[in-house]
Amino acid sequence: MGRTHALAAHTAKLVFPSSAELQCELLADFDASRAAEQAALLGFRRSTGDWREVVADPRIDIVDVCTPNHLHYPMAKAALEQGKHVFCEKPLALGADESRELATLAAARGCITMVGFNYVKNPVISIAKELIDRGEIGQVRHVRGTHVEDYLADPLRDGGWRTRRSLAGLGALGDLCHILSLTQRLVGEPTEVCADFQTVIPERPDGPVENEDQMHALLRFECGAIGTIECSRIAWGRKNGLTLEISGSAGSLFFDQERQNELWLYHADGEAPQGFRRILLGNDQPDYAAFCPASGHGLGFNDLKVIEMRDLVAAVAIGAPAWPDFAAAARIDAVTAAMVESCRKGGWVNVAGAVTGNTRRDC
């Protein structure tokens, strides 16, 4: 992920010439020699083996956190306390209370923040938002979302830090919470959830598994819609099964991140033969046209990070809020905390009233 962020930092000003100049100044890693090696590779001027040097350096304007989950909170907090703007990978923290604390601190210090929910930067999602806002599918009634992958489907594969509660917090949901960022963008906030978690592979070669392999949940949204969300890291054959289907009173939308340059639209009043119509991402969408003047050639994962970096740098340059910021991420973390409480209690939980402590705790 650090490599991906570095690539985006160097590329944003080339793809979007109006973007402010961004200098990659200081790279930190856990080992000073490794940091020096990576700094040379990724185009940073300096390196250090201590991340605290980054947040304390007066020449640094933006701190970019690309670490295992348990380090997000202390690094982001230290940067905010130094008055730095912060770009942090998701999840923002291991608990919703910590996420809310960071959002409050950022607001108090006047720092601009962004969290790495890069899939919401896909121009296709912007098209979907426009279609929903102008009533193309009518009133939203139902949401069906998945984020399923197979990176830990093999029980003989080490789980690493992602299976340790003290390092990762939640498992499949914490890692694949991008689906909640998409529903937040397109449908709005959930008000109630009813969830169930399951650890299918309790032991791996490198030790016991301490968090969930899969999760499913029912949701009620503030707009009146209901829906379902599924997350899994053990779904054989699914490489990036991030899908979202939104059904309304006048039609439906369907998106699949594995085919990220397509959006499918169904109009209920369409003429026969009935069926979904494919909308192909093209040069009529500015964030696509900046990469390629010809429609249908497609964007990739790293391109979404470039758009994300452009938005952050532009916000810092003019002193405007970026999105999704720490406040948006804290609301997502509140939803995941409510899902944990729902599993523990065995029923529906109100998101606003959920216990929002550290998600290291068992379901």
Side-chain angles (χ1 to χ4, degrees):
M1 189 53 65
R3 184 186 296 261
T4 299
H5 279 236
L7 177 64
H10 290 299
T11 306
K13 61 188 176 184
L14 302 177
V15 177
F16 301 100
S18 61
S19 180
E21 184 76 13
L22 185 65
Q23 175 63 52
C24 294
E25 179 66 27
L26 179 58
L27 180 146
D29 208 326
F30 62 89
D31 176 80
S33 60
R34 175 178 166 82
E37 172 188 305
Q38 292 299 308
L41 178 66
L42 300 178
F44 281 74
R45 288 179 171 178
R46 298 181 287 134
S47 65
T48 176
D50 185 351
W51 64 266
R52 293 167 186 83
E53 292 185 19
V54 178
V55 301
D57 193 317
R59 288 169 287 185
I60 303 298
D61 300 307
I62 302 171
V63 174
D64 189 347
V65 181
C66 304
T67 64
N69 298 350
H70 71 292
L71 293 172
H72 292 179
Y73 168 76
M75 289 182 172
K77 182 178 180 180
L80 293 172
E81 288 175 340
Q82 292 289 333
K84 311 291 189 186
H85 309 298
V86 184
F87 186 12
C88 183
E89 269 304 317
K90 56 82 203 162
L92 181 54
L94 296 189
D97 50 355
E98 292 179 346
S99 296
R100 188 169 55 248
E101 178 190 347
L102 291 176
T104 301
L105 179 58
R109 295 298 177 96
C111 298
I112 293 166
T113 60
M114 179 176 282
V115 179
F117 290 108
N118 51 286
Y119 297 112
V120 298
K121 298 299 183 179
N122 190 334
V124 159
I125 300 303
S126 296
I127 294 172
K129 177 65 173 172
E130 293 171 6
L131 292 172
I132 292 171
D133 287 350
R134 70 173 184 236
E136 291 285 339
I137 64 169
Q139 181 180 356
V140 175
R141 291 175 171 172
H142 190 266
V143 178
R144 182 183 299 110
T146 72
H147 199 168
V148 291
E149 300 188 7
D150 67 358
Y151 61 90
L152 285 180
D154 184 352
L156 299 181
R157 181 175 181 179
D158 288 346
W161 65 266
R162 294 186 185 278
T163 59
R164 306 289 183 261
R165 283 191 179 274
S166 62
L167 302 179
L170 288 170
L173 178 58
D175 194 27
L176 307 177
C177 54
H178 288 284
I179 185 60
L180 294 175
S181 71
L182 294 187
T183 59
Q184 182 185 68
R185 169 73 168 149
L186 297 178
V187 184
E189 306 291 343
T191 56
E192 295 178 278
V193 297
C194 184
D196 192 20
F197 294 75
Q198 188 179 46
T199 302
V200 178
I201 304 170
E203 189 81 22
R204 292 186 176 273
D206 59 344
V209 175
E210 300 173 352
N211 51 26
E212 78 284 355
D213 288 321
Q214 55 190 14
M215 182 282 306
H216 59 191
L218 305 174
L219 300 92
R220 294 171 179 152
F221 291 89
E222 60 185 0
C223 67
I226 62 173
T228 63
I229 294 289
E230 300 175 23
C231 291
S232 175
R233 60 190 183 190
I234 58 169
W236 278 117
R238 297 300 181 184
K239 304 306 178 184
N240 192 3
L242 177 61
T243 70
L244 186 63
E245 184 166 356
I246 302 173
S247 299
S249 57
S252 297
L253 290 168
F254 176 74
F255 168 72
D256 180 352
Q257 177 60 32
E258 289 185 353
R259 306 187 66 162
Q260 71 171 61
N261 293 281
E262 300 175 0
L263 179 69
W264 293 84
L265 170 66
Y266 179 87
H267 278 135
D269 59 355
E271 297 180 359
Q274 289 287 290
F276 277 86
R277 176 170 66 90
R278 184 178 70 157
I279 298 172
L280 191 62
L281 190 58
N283 58 12
D284 57 341
Q285 216 296 330
D287 281 350
Y288 172 92
F291 289 91
C292 182
S295 298
H297 287 60
L299 299 182
F301 175 90
N302 286 333
D303 298 326
L304 304 186
K305 277 295 179 190
V306 173
I307 297 171
E308 192 175 35
M309 189 69 71
R310 182 277 314 270
D311 287 351
L312 172 68
V313 174
V316 171
I318 64 174
W323 185 89
D325 59 8
F326 280 13
R331 292 194 298 273
I332 290 175
D333 288 350
V335 175
T336 61
M339 289 177 174
V340 172
E341 185 176 348
S342 168
C343 178
R344 188 181 301 115
K345 289 183 173 180
W348 285 91
V349 167
N350 186 290
V351 173
V355 175
T356 57
N358 197 298
T359 49
R360 292 186 181 95
R361 296 175 300 178
D362 288 334
C363 176

